């Protein structure tokens, strides 16, 4: 049976934690930040964990795990 392909966007955008959850960067932080208030910018600093419903789909796109 051939190897399964991994979606290259998943490799770049997600990292796997030790407990098996997925970390991702927060969207909406690149440009046009004048339209966002300070609370939005402050709360979306750093990374967040992906929801459980989305985690199953993303793990299917990376069949052999993420480094």
């Amino acid at each position: 049976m051939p190897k399964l392909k991994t979606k290259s966007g998943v490799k770049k955008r997600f990292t796997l934690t030790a407990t098996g959850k997925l970390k991702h960067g927060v969207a909406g932080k690149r440009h046009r930040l004048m339209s966002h208030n300070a609370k939005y910018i402050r709360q979306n600093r750093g990374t967040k964990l992906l929801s459980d419903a989305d985690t199953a789909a993303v793990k299917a796109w990376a069949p052999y795990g993420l480094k």
Side-chain angles (χ1 to χ4, degrees):
M1 187 151 169
K3 293 181 185 175
L4 297 173
K5 293 228 175 181
T6 299
K7 298 222 180 241
S8 59
V10 172
K11 293 185 290 189
K12 299 169 190 172
R13 290 178 172 90
F14 298 99
T15 54
L16 200 61
T17 64
T19 57
K21 296 180 180 177
L22 289 171
K23 283 196 317 188
H24 68 94
V26 183
K29 291 295 302 277
R30 298 291 183 198
H31 54 92
R32 291 194 315 194
L33 294 175
M34 291 182 298
S35 58
H36 295 144
N37 56 21
K39 180 180 178 182
Y40 175 89
I41 295 169
R42 189 171 58 249
Q43 287 182 341
N44 288 324
R45 196 176 284 158
T47 58
K48 300 228 173 173
L49 291 176
L50 200 62
S51 67
D52 292 335
D54 295 331
T55 299
V58 173
K59 282 186 176 178
W61 295 333
Y64 301 110
L66 296 167
K67 300 278 180 188

